[in-house]
């Protein structure tokens, strides 16, 4: 079985590239984006099991990127990984549709567990959407 | 900012903004060092007791060194900022204050994809007296006011020129707007200075008053 597909978004290039390398060595398939706009572009062309997203970024910040990712596709599962992990911030990002917020730096295993959770949740959502679509088609056909 | 309560909130707001910004960047450095150390541990584990790739290890150590140098610079910046409240009436070298204000504001500029430059005209060792904290606060607010509506790619210049037994400061490159302008204006006037006609320009006396004192 192939590893989870992850999009890692962080303007700290050194951090993003090193974390990506470590996740890849554990079998995950990781792409990296260094700003919100690039993340949106990547996510519009490719399906990811999880997006790991920083908040404080130049240009389009993490919160706005999160909102747009979720508006474009509600199956996208976003894990916010930030140095600003306060209760208020957690509430704000979860309200905007994030799966969870982790304090940066997060233990690698904790992040991987969260990515696996995101992947499972996404798979369930995809299945649910497919069932709804099928029911809709069957309803229209009168089956 | 004419009432002491508002002045105090202004000063504390400045203090908090600087501490948040520097500690946030320090946290990023820590996160990078943790991941780089983890990467080396991963490689050692993968080698299973055999020799690891020397070139890769040297490159990773070099990357760690870069981050440690960044951490040292940030700690120096925070330490200097902490010392800005040691003395409320001391001699301040304008060129140093300008450079320090730029360094404190750098991350805010990066987040807006803007650049900061400085120019201390014909005043290499120009000295004014007062509180270094207050002067930093004024210069920081002037830069933030310029940054507030500046589009990405803007280059802001903070220029200092000796003038009329004081110093003229101006921020060029973007028109200062928003709440930061109001705070800046009140702070300048309360320090004994005055605003000049050109937006983003103000004059401060050779002896700064401590606003609210």
């Amino acid at each position: 079985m192939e590893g989870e597909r992850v999009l890692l978004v962080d303007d700290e290039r050194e951090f993003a590239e090193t974390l990506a390398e470590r996740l890849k060595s554990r079998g995950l398939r990781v792409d990296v984006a260094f700003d919100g706009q690039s993340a949106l572009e990547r996510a519009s062309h490719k399906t990811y099991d999880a997006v790991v997203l920083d908040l404080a970024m130049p240009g389009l910040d993490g919160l706005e990127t999160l909102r747009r990712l979720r508006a474009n596709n509600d199956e996208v599962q976003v894990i916010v990984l930030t140095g600003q992990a306060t209760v208020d911030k957690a509430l704000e990002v979860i309200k905007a549709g994030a799966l969870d917020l982790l304090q940066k730096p997060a233990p690698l295993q904790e992040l991987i567990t969260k990515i696996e959770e995101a992947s499972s949740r996404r798979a369930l959502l995809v299945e649910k959407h497919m069932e709804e679509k099928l029911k809709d088609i069957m309803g229209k056909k009168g089956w | 900012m004419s009432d002491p309560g508002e002045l105090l909130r202004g000063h504390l707001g400045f203090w908090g903004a600087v501490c948040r910004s520097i500690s946030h960047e320090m946290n990023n450095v820590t996160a990078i060092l943790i991941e780089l150390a983890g990467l080396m541990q991963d490689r050692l584990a993968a080698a299973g007791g055999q020799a690891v790739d020397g070139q890769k290890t040297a490159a990773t150590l070099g990357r760690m060194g870069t981050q440690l140098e960044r951490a040292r610079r940030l700690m120096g910046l925070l330490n200097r900022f902490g010392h800005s409240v040691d003395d409320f009436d001391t001699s301040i070298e304008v060129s140093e204050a300008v450079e320090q204000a730029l360094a404190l504001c750098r991350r805010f500029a990066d987040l807006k994809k803007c650049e900061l430059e400085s120019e201390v005209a014909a005043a290499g060792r120009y000295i004014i007296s007062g509180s270094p904290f207050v002067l930093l606060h004024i210069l920081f607010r002037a830069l933030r006011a310029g940054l507030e509506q500046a589009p990405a790619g803007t280059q802001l210049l903070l220029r200092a020129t000796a003038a009329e037994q004081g110093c003229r400061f101006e921020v060029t490159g973007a028109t200062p707007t928003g709440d930061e302008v109001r705070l800046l204006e009140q702070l300048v006037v309360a320090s004994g200075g005055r605003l000049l006609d050109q937006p983003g320009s103000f004059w401060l006396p050779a002896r700064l008053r401590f606003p609210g004192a």
Side-chain angles (χ1 to χ4, degrees), chain B:
Chain B
M1 259 209 226
S2 50
D3 85 89
E6 202 173 353
L7 280 168
L8 181 62
R9 281 193 292 279
H11 286 324
L12 289 175
F14 166 53
W15 187 266
V18 168
C19 290
R20 276 197 307 277
S21 166
I22 297 178
S23 61
H24 185 89
E25 204 176 339
M26 285 288 296
N27 187 64
N28 279 342
V29 172
T30 309
I32 292 168
L33 286 169
I34 286 173
E35 294 307 333
L36 286 168
L39 185 63
M40 290 184 74
Q41 285 173 332
D42 291 352
R43 287 182 189 150
L44 280 169
Q50 302 296 308
V52 292
D53 184 326
Q55 271 189 332
K56 273 189 181 174
T57 304
T60 307
L61 286 171
R63 287 157 70 187
M64 291 173 107
T66 303
Q67 294 305 318
L68 286 168
E69 183 54 40
R70 183 179 170 198
R72 196 190 61 76
R73 181 183 58 76
L74 289 167
M75 281 189 288
L77 187 62
L78 187 59
N79 182 270
R80 251 182 105 195
F81 180 62
H83 280 298
S84 70
V85 290
D86 285 354
D87 196 338
F88 289 79
D89 188 11
T90 188
S91 299
I92 313 163
E93 198 169 308
V94 171
S95 60
E96 279 185 16
V98 164
E99 284 313 310
Q100 201 181 347
L102 248 69
L104 294 176
C105 219
R106 187 86 57 197
R107 187 167 171 273
F108 297 95
D110 288 347
L111 284 172
K112 297 212 72 175
K113 297 185 173 180
C114 293
E115 284 184 32
L116 302 178
E117 297 289 336
S118 67
E119 187 183 303
V120 182
R125 289 189 57 78
Y126 186 63
I127 305 283
I128 62 176
S129 62
S131 159
F133 175 78
V134 168
L135 181 56
L136 283 176
H137 187 178
I138 292 171
L139 298 180
F140 181 88
R141 291 252 181 236
L143 288 166
R144 289 291 301 272
L147 281 172
E148 202 146 53
Q149 298 295 329
T154 301
Q155 191 176 52
L156 285 183
L157 175 71
L158 171 58
R159 181 182 289 126
T161 319
E164 304 168 55
Q165 290 166 22
C167 197
R168 176 194 166 101
F169 295 91
E170 55 187 322
V171 175
T172 61
T175 306
T177 51
D179 284 346
E180 291 288 346
V181 173
R182 190 183 61 83
L183 292 168
L184 171 68
E185 289 175 358
Q186 294 185 31
L187 197 55
V188 165
V189 171
S191 304
R194 64 175 187 272
L195 298 168
L196 302 173
D197 288 342
Q198 194 184 338
S201 300
F202 52 94
W203 172 86
L204 293 175
R207 175 166 285 277
L208 277 182
R209 278 207 303 264
F210 191 94

